[in-house]
Amino acid sequence: MTSSNPIVDALDAAGYRLTGPRRAVADLIAGYDGHFTAAELEAAAREHRVGVSRATLFRALELLTELHVVERLDLPGGEHAYVPCVRAHHHHLVCSRCGRVAEVEDCGLAEIVAEIARRSGYRIESHRLELFGLCRHCQAKAAPGA
Amino acid sequence: MTSSNPIVDALDAAGYRLTGPRRAVADLIAGYDGHFTAAELEAAAREHRVGVSRATLFRALELLTELHVVERLDLPGGEHAYVPCVRAHHHHLVCSRCGRVAEVEDCGLAEIVAEIARRSGYRIESHRLELFGLCRHCQAKAAPGA
DNA sequence: CTGACTATTGAGACCTGATCTCGACAAGCA
DNA sequence: TGCTTGTCGAGATCAGGTCTCAATAGTCAG
C-alpha cells in the first residue's frame, strides 16, 4: 500500500508537492466511503496518530476540492460535509442515516436545466443537485418486518 | 402599509406571537427580492433603526425557515444566504452577479428523481436543486456590445 | 550526495456565522 | 387590569474556517 492512492496521484499530477501531511490526509480520505466532516477528519487524524494541524487539514481539503477529487456537500441540516469523488460532473445521493454517498450521473437533468433557462431567461452556468434518502442497507434496517 | 406582510401572516397563522422584533424582521425580509445573508439583514436592521439583537434575528430566521417562508441557500462559494419564498416545493435560480433569485417549479425533475431512485436502490426522501447563472439584466450588462 | 530555493507546515490568534443562557419584558387572554 | 408564558437582549460561547509567520522539508540543479 505504498500509494496507489488516486488522491495522491491527483496531487502529483497537478504539480503539488507530495508531502507527508498531504499523503496522510489523502489516505485518511480514501478510507471513507461516505461523507465526512472536517471535524471527523480531524478526529481520525488524531486517532491514527497522524500529526496534521488543523490549518493543514483545511488547506488540503481546499486543494482537493479544487482538484475535484473531493467535493463539499451541504447537508439538509446546514452542516458541511466532504465527499471523495471522481472528476466528472455528477451529483450526490446521500443516505441520511449512514452517510453513505452514491454518485449519480446527469441522466436527463441537462435538458431540464436548458428548459429552465429558456423559461426564465437566465443564462445558467452551473447547477447542483443533492438528493437525500435511505440507502438499501438502511431501508432494510428501518423496516425489518415489511 | 400596516402589514399585509405575508411573512407576518404566516407567523400569525402558525400561532406565534406577533412581536415588534418579528414584525420588523419580517418587513426587512419582505423588502428583499433576491437573497440576503444574515449579516446583511443585521446591517439593514441597524440602518433602519430597528433594534433587533443578533440572537433574535437568527431565531426569526430559523422560525421562518421552519414555516417555509424563507429558505436557506448555499451559495457556490460556501456562503449561506436566505431567500424569502412561497411554501410550495420549488428550486432556486440565483443570479451570481446581482443575487436576484427566481423560483423554479419542478418541471420534470420528479421523474428524474424517480429514475435515480430506481437505479440506485435508494429511497429518495428529499432533494435540492440549485441553479446559478446570470439573470437577463446582468447578461445585458455583461455583454453590452454583443 | 549536497545545497539552495521555495512550497508547505504548525501553532495559535483571529474571524464569522450561529447558538445558548438567563433574567427582564411584553403579547395575548381572562 | 393582571397573569402567564412566550419572546427578547446582551453577551458568552461554540464551530468551522482562515491567516500569519517563522521553521521545515520536498525537489531539483550541480
Side-chain angles (χ1 to χ4, degrees), chain A residues 116-117 120-128, chain B residues 33-37 71-77 79-84 90-104 128-136 138-139:
Chain A
I116 290 174
S120 64
Y122 276 56
R123 185 194 304 152
I124 296 179
E125 289 168 343
S126 71
H127 63 268
R128 189 165 63 185
Chain B
D33 117 70
H35 61 197
F36 55 87
T37 63
E71 262 184 41
R72 198 154 128 169
L73 214 63
D74 298 291
L75 268 23
E79 302 124 343
H80 286 168
Y82 298 83
V83 238
H90 63 273
H91 301 289
H92 292 119
L93 177 44
V94 185
C95 178
S96 39
R97 187 108 152 200
C98 69
R100 195 186 313 263
V101 174
E103 300 189 356
V104 172
R128 189 165 62 187
L129 175 64
E130 276 160 21
L131 301 135
F132 305 96
L134 249 43
C135 70
R136 261 191 269 253
C138 293
Q139 282 175 52

Side-chain angles (χ1 to χ4, degrees), chain A residues 3 7 13 15 19 28 34 45 54 59 86 88 91 93 114 117 123 128 144:
Chain A
S3 114
I7 301 182
T19 66
L28 243 27
R54 236 155 76 81
R59 279 190 282 236
V86 299
H91 301 289
L93 178 44
R123 185 194 304 152
R128 189 165 63 185

Side-chain angles (χ1 to χ4, degrees), chain A residues 110-139:
Chain A
E111 284 163 36
I112 290 191
V113 170
E115 170 64 19
I116 290 174
R118 200 174 320 129
R119 286 202 215 170
S120 64
Y122 276 56
R123 185 194 304 152
I124 296 179
E125 289 168 343
S126 71
H127 63 268
R128 189 165 63 185
L129 175 64
E130 277 159 20
L131 301 137
F132 306 96
L134 248 45
C135 70
R136 260 190 271 252
H137 267 95
C138 293
Q139 281 175 53

Side-chain angles (χ1 to χ4, degrees), chain B residues 6-7 10 29 64-72 83-92 101-106:
Chain B
I7 301 182
I29 291 177
L64 297 176
T65 304
E66 230 161 71
L67 298 178
H68 298 280
V69 293
V70 157
E71 262 184 41
R72 198 154 128 169
V83 238
C85 63
V86 298
R87 293 191 59 97
H89 180 72
H90 63 273
H91 301 289
H92 292 119
V101 174
E103 300 189 356
V104 172
E105 336 117 43
D106 223 350

Side-chain angles (χ1 to χ4, degrees), chain B residues 16-17 19 21-22 51-56 59:
Chain B
Y16 290 102
R17 288 193 186 167
T19 66
R22 295 227 252 241
V52 179
S53 86
R54 240 155 76 79
T56 301
R59 279 190 282 238

Side-chain angles (χ1 to χ4, degrees), chain A residues 13-116:
Chain A
Y16 290 101
R17 288 192 186 170
L18 266 25
T19 66
R22 295 228 253 240
R23 282 172 197 277
V25 173
D27 283 344
L28 243 27
I29 291 177
Y32 284 98
D33 118 68
H35 61 197
F36 54 88
T37 63
E40 280 164 11
L41 198 57
E42 210 184 332
R46 224 176 307 116
E47 195 174 322
H48 288 245
R49 308 289 152 83
V50 209
V52 179
S53 83
R54 236 155 76 81
T56 301
L57 213 62
F58 279 105
R59 279 190 282 236
L61 242 21
E62 187 191 346
L63 208 54
L64 296 176
T65 305
E66 228 160 74
L67 298 178
H68 298 279
V69 292
V70 158
E71 262 183 41
R72 198 153 129 170
L73 213 63
D74 297 292
L75 268 24
E79 301 124 343
H80 285 168
Y82 298 84
V83 237
C85 64
V86 299
R87 294 192 58 97
H89 180 69
H90 63 273
H91 301 289
H92 292 119
L93 178 44
V94 185
C95 178
S96 39
R97 187 111 152 197
C98 70
R100 196 187 311 264
V101 174
E103 300 190 355
V104 172
E105 335 119 41
D106 222 349
C107 48
L109 189 58
E111 284 163 36
I112 290 191
V113 170
E115 170 64 19
I116 290 174

